[in-house]
Amino acid sequence: MGPLAPTRIPLSLLTALFFILILATPALKAHADYYKKIEPDGTIVFTNIPTTSGYTMIFDEYEEEYVTYEEYYYSTSTYDSIIKDASVLYGIDTSLIKAVIKTESNFNPKAVSKKGACGLMQLIPSTAKRFGVYDIFDPRSNIYGGTKYLNYLMNFFKGDLTLVLAAYNAGENAVVKYNNQIPPYKETKNYVKKVLKFLDYYNDRPLDL
């Protein structure tokens, strides 16, 4: 599918047209992502391939959570060699490691969350200690610790990727508490969706080492 010309929709018509689009074309969501941008004058622009910054990606018609153009398309190969080594050591696909890093920290090795998660793979200090991370802000140590945790979760949840990702975000005890289902937390549900989106992205761009 080629790029659609950006479509400008007056704010007064947005709601009706958006729901008409959803009801009339349910199959489109399975084949393409859609993006929107609000101009300074209030005009809302939709497109399937954004060509400038300022767009946000719509996950689905019921979600209010978006990924920005910059978050979706910016990536780095800075840590590819470390990711490759961790992948071989712990048996976790490189694309999954990159998708988690992208979602967690956007490749910022000094990132710190409001909950105290740190580094590229956003490890909380207790998890870092549990998986042998000697320096939570050291990229190699952090990636190795996060990948080792993913390996543990893969074994714990018998390879169920959605549960692995939910547990990486909310903790394995939360997943077990809800009978091995994704916990009913909006943050965790959106987290799983984001990682899977980036996993598709990186699966199409394997490491070239």
Side-chain angles (χ1 to χ4, degrees), residues 97-148:
I97 300 171
K98 292 199 80 167
V100 170
I101 294 173
K102 181 70 176 174
T103 305
E104 290 285 356
S105 68
N106 200 26
F107 290 92
N108 177 3
K110 300 299 183 183
V112 179
S113 76
K114 293 179 181 179
K115 296 180 180 179
C118 303
L120 289 165
M121 298 191 75
Q122 289 291 276
L123 303 175
I124 61 174
S126 60
T127 301
K129 182 177 180 180
R130 179 181 170 192
F131 291 97
V133 177
Y134 64 87
D135 181 350
I136 204 166
F137 291 110
D138 175 72
R140 180 174 294 274
S141 185
N142 191 284
I143 290 173
Y144 272 49
T147 306
K148 188 175 182 179

Side-chain angles (χ1 to χ4, degrees), residues 11 37 49 59 63 74 85 90 93-94 106 113 117-118 121 152-153 179 184 190:
L11 190 58
K37 179 179 182 179
I49 300 180
F59 276 113
E63 288 294 339
Y74 171 76
D85 291 344
Y90 296 112
D93 187 74
T94 57
N106 200 26
S113 76
C118 303
M121 298 191 75
Y152 167 82
L153 294 173
N179 300 313
N190 287 330

Side-chain angles (χ1 to χ4, degrees), residues 135-182:
D135 181 350
I136 204 166
F137 291 110
D138 175 72
R140 180 174 294 274
S141 185
N142 191 284
I143 290 173
Y144 272 49
T147 306
K148 188 175 182 179
Y149 186 30
L150 287 173
N151 171 274
Y152 167 82
L153 294 173
M154 281 288 189
N155 290 321
F156 190 90
F157 292 109
K158 298 179 171 57
D160 188 321
L161 182 57
T162 59
L163 297 186
V164 167
L165 296 177
Y168 195 95
N169 176 259
E172 60 264 37
N173 291 335
V175 176
V176 172
K177 175 182 176 181
Y178 288 99
N179 300 313
N180 284 343
Q181 301 291 325
I182 297 176

Side-chain angles (χ1 to χ4, degrees), residues 10-29:
L11 190 58
S12 61
L13 296 178
L14 172 64
T15 302
L17 291 177
F18 187 59
F19 282 101
I20 289 171
L21 176 64
I22 291 166
L23 294 174
T25 58
L28 287 178
K29 191 166 78 72

